[in-house]
Amino acid sequence: MFSRAYRAAVAAPPLFWVAVFLLVPYALLFGYSFWSVSSTQVIVHSWTLENYRELVHKDVYLQTLFRSMWIAARVMVFSLLLGYPLAYYLSFHAGKRKDLFYQLVIIPLWVSYLVRAYAWKTILGSDGVLNTLLQYAHLTQHPLNFLLYSPFAVVLTLTHIYTPFTFLPIYASLEHVPRNLVEASSDLGAPPLQTFWRVIFPLSIPGVLAGATFAFVLSLGDFLAPLLLGGPSGIMISNIVVSLFGAAYNWPLGAAISFCMLMLVLGLLFLSENLEKKWSFR
Amino acid sequence: MELPVSRHGNSPNSRWLPLHAVLVFGFLYLPIVTLVVYSFNGEGVGGFPPHHLTLDWYRTLFGDDAIWGSVVNSLEVAVGAMAISLAFGIPAALALDRADFPGKSLFRRLVLLPLILPGIITGLSLLMLFREADVKLSLLTITLGHGTALISVATTEVFAGLQKLDRAQEEASLDLGANYWQTFWHVTLPNLRLSIIGAALLIFTLSMDEIAVSFFLIGRDNTLPLEIWGRLRRGITPEINAISTIIFVFSLAAIVLWYRLRMRAEGEAEVGAGLV
């Protein structure tokens, strides 16, 4: 029904824009990762594998990458532990209050990321709300210092930020579980727990995968929460990139790290997409 | 909707699940409540219990030209980003819905990528583009960055709208002699109105809050999140709580509006009791 001209007219402008402002920049990131910086702080456009060699040979990069992955993994697990039962409760047991509760999960999602990270800082600090509350209640004598400027603070804050992100796809997948299957299972005598593990949970796996991927990937690349709340022991891989693009001035090395991160993320997305396909029922 | 499982209302699930839900909501809202409460606290952002409740921080805030300057910058960026995302997102959705072209599936993935990639990667990549093209960093570069990253939102929202569109109307319009352009303006676009307004609101809110991409594309002028970021690094005052509270109230208004539009777009009448 749509002519060739129509199709070309709607496809061409976005194709052009996306090529210039997404495809070229991502390709440029790859290109930069093979360049270098001269002693006079000029970026040299000649090809070298030096940046990748440095990434492999200096321990700090891999160590920081593993620490970031460990932080991201904890955020992912905690977000699932908080998000899944909540989604299940809303979808199966909340009755009339379902839509209100759903909105209540969404609202924090739209409160600025920065503002929420900042709020945690005011809660966890040594004269923050939590420490003064504990002392006020005579539960502690001195402020607890591990609360802020630690990986703990980063994991807590990122979990807070990504729990709604994890909740959403899980909730969507639970809403699509055919209710007659659940009914059939209990009619045939399965106790609720068995119905859950044998019927409901397997059908919600695509949502779990999508939520887990969101939480892991977005926490992995975060640099603001570690800068604000992480302290020296909470530094993540993106913080190294930020410093290489700032004071340390080594864009090509920063580009090499970012490109590895991009590949890691694309790999995870590919993996999760395939697992989702495998687990989704027709 | 009453569910068949409710007959197991006395199973252990139904006791600990509501408790878990209460705890999660507590966790989600604790920082937001703290933020709002301490924006009225005369003593500063720490200290329990809060006392000397005052509006002083709001007064300081209203006299703070740097903050309001950055709010104006953010509004400019958000409006520009909205225009770019819609200008390219709407045709992108139409193309994905009705055209076949080489590289279509790559195109779809590429458009959606900024939504799932950590912002730092998109931000840095664009920074390199602007550097290689000798473009000076400014609010314009941030606008281009936001606009490009948020095409994803416009595309997904409008694409969802297209899926529900009644094709017969467009066919009738074409059969009756209207050309494609007339059909687009008079039939397709009005039918997508609610999806487009919803997308616009979402893009606006996301752009106002965006920091990871802006962080790398900033020139001389700050957006609001970057102004707040700069202050956080120097020390914290309840003035930040005050501006955050105001943003929160505005985002809340935008969400309610967006949600109502979405419900209307989906033609559902009885959803969202309590909030809307």
Side-chain angles (χ1 to χ4, degrees):
Chain A
M1 130 184 198
F2 298 101
S3 72
R4 211 187 171 81
Y6 176 92
R7 284 177 278 158
V10 293
L15 268 172
F16 170 76
W17 186 276
V18 163
V20 173
F21 288 102
L22 283 178
L23 196 58
V24 170
Y26 291 141
L28 206 54
L29 183 74
F30 186 53
Y32 251 90
S33 72
F34 295 103
W35 298 344
S36 57
V37 180
S38 75
S39 50
T40 50
Q41 301 271 298
V42 176
I43 289 166
V44 185
H45 294 58
S46 65
W47 307 90
T48 165
L49 279 169
E50 201 43 53
N51 298 314
Y52 289 98
R53 219 168 280 144
E54 188 171 346
L55 290 190
V56 180
H57 287 299
K58 278 205 188 144
D59 290 343
V60 58
Y61 301 113
L62 274 180
Q63 272 169 11
T64 314
L65 179 65
F66 286 136
R67 184 190 310 140
S68 311
M69 289 172 80
W70 173 227
I71 288 178
R74 278 182 285 174
V75 172
M76 177 183 84
V77 169
F78 291 136
S79 304
L80 288 174
L81 288 178
L82 295 181
Y84 194 103
L86 184 67
Y88 176 75
Y89 173 67
L90 256 65
S91 186
F92 285 89
H93 293 282
K96 278 189 196 135
R97 280 161 300 178
K98 187 167 163 174
D99 294 310
L100 173 66
F101 285 172
Y102 179 79
Q103 290 308 314
L104 284 176
V105 184
I106 304 284
I107 287 170
L109 199 62
W110 298 126
V111 179
S112 162
Y113 164 95
L114 185 59
V115 163
R116 289 188 284 160
Y118 160 74
W120 279 111
K121 186 173 173 145
T122 68
I123 293 172
L124 299 173
S126 61
D127 11 289
V129 178
L130 184 58
N131 268 317
T132 45
L133 171 67
L134 288 173
Q135 285 168 40
Y136 179 77
H138 298 289
L139 290 170
T140 54
Q141 305 300 316
H142 307 285
L144 303 173
N145 286 320
F146 69 89
L147 292 175
L148 189 58
Y149 303 123
S150 60
F152 165 80
V154 177
V155 171
L156 181 77
T157 303
L158 291 177
T159 302
H160 179 254
I161 287 162
Y162 294 118
T163 295
F165 276 103
T166 317
F167 165 90
L168 285 175
I170 297 176
Y171 179 75
S173 69
L174 286 172
E175 284 288 275
H176 284 112
V177 172
R179 293 318 198 243
N180 55 6
L181 286 184
V182 179
E183 200 166 7
S185 167
S186 55
D187 283 350
L188 293 169
L193 211 57
Q194 199 178 2
T195 301
F196 174 76
W197 284 114
R198 303 289 287 275
V199 179
I200 299 173
F201 184 72
L203 289 171
S204 68
I205 285 178
V208 173
L209 285 167
T213 311
F214 257 128
F216 186 85
V217 164
L218 293 176
S219 334
L220 183 68
D222 197 86
F223 63 99
L224 296 155
L227 268 179
L228 204 55
L229 306 130
S233 61
I235 290 292
M236 289 172 75
I237 191 74
S238 295
N239 297 106
I240 295 187
V241 177
V242 170
S243 77
L244 286 170
F245 273 81
Y249 199 73
N250 191 340
W251 284 29
L253 184 59
I257 300 177
S258 309
F259 188 73
C260 294
M261 214 152 73
L262 179 64
M263 286 297 110
L264 182 66
V265 168
L266 291 181
L268 287 171
L269 290 177
F270 178 77
L271 189 73
S272 120
E273 196 175 307
N274 279 295
L275 285 173
E276 269 174 55
K277 264 189 215 133
K278 199 180 145 216
W279 278 99
S280 59
F281 71 114
R282 284 108 346 236
Chain B
M1 180 171 25
E2 269 317 302
L3 300 164
V5 281
S6 60
R7 84 165 81 138
H8 293 293
N10 293 325
S11 72
N13 281 350
S14 56
R15 275 194 301 274
W16 73 262
L17 277 174
L19 180 67
H20 179 276
V22 168
L23 290 176
V24 177
F25 280 125
F27 173 63
L28 290 178
Y29 280 89
L30 173 73
I32 298 170
V33 171
T34 309
L35 189 85
V36 174
V37 168
Y38 281 83
S39 74
F40 300 104
N41 189 31
E43 305 286 294
V45 282
F48 188 88
H51 45 195
H52 300 308
L53 295 187
T54 168
L55 285 173
D56 281 356
W57 300 112
Y58 287 87
R59 252 173 244 130
T60 319
L61 176 67
F62 284 110
D64 193 329
D65 291 338
I67 289 260
W68 295 111
S70 72
V71 170
V72 172
N73 292 343
S74 274
L75 288 171
E76 283 173 23
V77 169
V79 170
M82 208 162 77
I84 293 173
S85 315
L86 290 175
F88 295 96
I90 296 171
L94 289 168
L96 288 174
D97 185 48
R98 7 187 103 161
D100 276 311
F101 49 90
K104 183 172 172 178
S105 97
L106 174 72
F107 172 71
R108 194 186 59 233
R109 281 159 201 270
L110 206 54
V111 166
L112 298 182
L113 207 50
L115 215 53
I116 177 73
L117 275 192
I120 184 172
I121 297 178
T122 307
L124 282 179
S125 305
L126 283 165
L127 173 63
M128 292 172 186
L129 176 76
F130 292 132
R131 185 195 162 103
E132 291 303 305
D134 257 328
V135 177
K136 214 166 150 256
L137 296 182
S138 65
L139 290 179
L140 179 67
T141 50
I142 297 188
T143 309
L144 288 171
H146 286 190
T148 305
L150 295 170
I151 289 178
S152 48
V153 174
T155 308
T156 39
E157 290 281 309
V158 175
F159 187 79
L162 279 171
Q163 299 300 302
K164 291 183 214 103
L165 194 71
D166 181 8
R167 282 278 174 93
Q169 287 188 24
E170 282 174 292
E171 273 167 37
S173 161
L174 291 171
D175 285 347
L176 292 170
N179 63 31
Y180 283 113
W181 185 243
Q182 288 167 324
T183 305
F184 176 74
W185 267 118
H186 297 294
V187 180
T188 319
L189 212 51
N191 272 305
L192 292 173
R193 195 179 63 236
L194 291 173
S195 308
I196 292 171
I197 299 173
L201 271 170
L202 208 52
I203 292 164
F204 188 84
T205 321
L206 289 173
S207 167
M208 287 295 289
D209 275 353
E210 210 287 330
I211 181 158
V213 171
S214 323
F215 191 89
F216 295 99
L217 302 179
I218 190 74
R220 231 160 27 93
D221 301 311
N222 271 345
T223 60
L224 178 62
L226 284 166
E227 176 71 28
I228 295 178
W229 175 255
R231 287 168 189 236
L232 289 186
R233 311 233 58 206
R234 278 181 261 133
I236 49 185
T237 75
E239 200 187 336
I240 307 214
N241 294 51
I243 184 75
S244 307
T245 303
I246 295 174
I247 305 170
F248 176 52
V249 171
F250 273 96
S251 327
L252 209 58
I255 304 157
V256 173
L257 200 60
W258 176 76
Y259 184 70
R260 296 184 74 143
L261 285 167
R262 202 187 170 90
M263 286 301 109
R264 263 175 69 190
E266 284 173 10
E268 288 180 35
E270 26 69 72
V271 192
L275 186 80
V276 181

